[in-house]
Amino acid sequence: MIVLSPRLQTAADLCRRGVTVCDVGTDHAYLACYLAQNGAKQVIASDVREGPLEAARRTIAQQGVSNVASVLSDGLEKIEYADDVVICGMGGELIAKIISGCRFLSEDTRFILQPMTKAEILRRELYSGGFEIIEERTAREGSRLYTVMLVKYTGICQKVDKLFCRCGKITDPAMLRHIAEKLLKNAAGMERSGGCENQPQEYRRLAERIIAAAEKFEQN
């Protein structure tokens, strides 16, 4: 039986049982096999490179799961259908690009997304592309914090403000404070370099709002 890292376990917990799931960028297929062992109807383990896909096939064989299929695919290019699409461990910009190429969108399609970087760009692109974040959860691995998003397609394009781009629907005070600290660090770096005259002040104001939100969640 597969045991997942906290980051992948959080993603797995957001997947529905009894449906077809596509794990994009499956790597060793640990998440794909775990889902197959825990209620998924069918799992598609896809990767853009043959090397990781061969490693995925070895894991699938070792785990003895018959409901996992390996597919060589650039993002969702070769994927005909999935109810849930999981994309973990990629940059936010790449995740947004992959989703924009999905050919089987409906209001029942769910996306479970774990960006390693540029989460603020991913949120902005999701909403401008007709998607909506249902929920965000925090995963902790050692000293690192990750956000995992549950997303649905609505077809309604929206513009979101800078605060939402940074925080989305995060309710974990520790994660909110982490985001604020990064903004303050970036502001200090800009001030030392002497560039971006107004940007540091904007970052500091945004950080103050995020800290206020963290304090509010701590009190509840």
Side-chain angles (χ1 to χ4, degrees):
M1 195 66 135
I2 294 284
V3 177
L4 298 176
S5 67
R7 179 175 62 89
L8 293 182
Q9 185 64 59
T10 302
D13 291 343
L14 288 170
C15 293
R16 294 173 289 184
R17 290 174 175 265
V19 302
T20 297
V21 185
C22 179
D23 177 25
V24 179
T26 194
D27 198 21
H28 285 75
Y30 297 139
L31 177 59
C33 288
Y34 177 91
L35 293 171
Q37 293 167 344
N38 288 273
K41 178 182 177 181
Q42 179 74 27
V43 183
I44 303 163
S46 76
D47 208 286
V48 69
R49 294 177 297 157
E50 186 60 48
L53 206 60
E54 186 56 40
R57 294 188 185 107
R58 288 195 294 270
T59 303
I60 293 166
Q62 290 166 2
Q63 293 297 314
V65 287
S66 59
N67 56 337
V68 180
S70 61
V71 177
L72 186 66
S73 177
D74 186 356
L76 293 168
E77 182 181 354
K78 300 291 180 63
I79 309 304
E80 296 298 325
Y81 177 80
D83 299 289
D84 288 0
V85 176
V86 187
I87 309 177
C88 294
M90 300 184 195
E93 292 170 300
L94 178 56
I95 292 174
K97 181 180 178 182
I98 289 172
I99 292 176
S100 69
C102 183
R103 296 175 287 111
F104 49 82
L105 282 177
S106 78
E107 292 186 1
D108 292 326
T109 312
R110 294 292 180 269
F111 296 85
I112 296 88
L113 312 174
Q114 184 273 300
M116 298 297 280
T117 60
K118 305 293 185 181
E120 68 278 9
I121 293 177
L122 175 57
R123 293 188 188 98
R124 185 190 69 203
E125 293 301 309
L126 284 171
Y127 277 80
S128 67
F131 297 85
E132 177 184 346
I133 298 172
I134 302 170
E135 178 185 358
E136 292 197 49
R137 297 184 185 180
T138 301
R140 181 186 292 273
E141 292 187 6
S143 62
R144 297 200 66 176
L145 292 172
Y146 303 93
T147 187
V148 184
M149 308 173 184
L150 176 61
V151 175
K152 69 177 181 179
Y153 178 70
T154 65
I156 301 171
C157 300
Q158 302 177 64
K159 187 175 181 179
V160 291
D161 64 21
K162 291 180 180 179
L163 180 63
F164 189 89
C165 286
R166 291 287 174 176
C167 300
K169 294 192 175 179
I170 295 170
T171 59
D172 179 7
M175 187 63 170
L176 291 171
R177 290 186 180 279
H178 175 68
I179 295 168
E181 287 168 6
K182 286 178 67 177
L183 284 169
L184 292 172
K185 184 177 180 180
N186 289 341
M190 290 175 181
E191 288 169 342
R192 286 194 298 270
S193 68
C196 306
E197 183 177 346
N198 297 321
Q199 196 72 30
Q201 294 179 0
E202 181 181 327
Y203 277 13
R204 290 186 185 280
R205 286 193 295 267
L206 198 54
E208 289 174 2
R209 295 174 66 189
I210 295 170
I211 291 170
E215 290 173 347
K216 182 178 178 181
F217 284 122
E218 285 168 342
Q219 293 167 3
N220 293 338

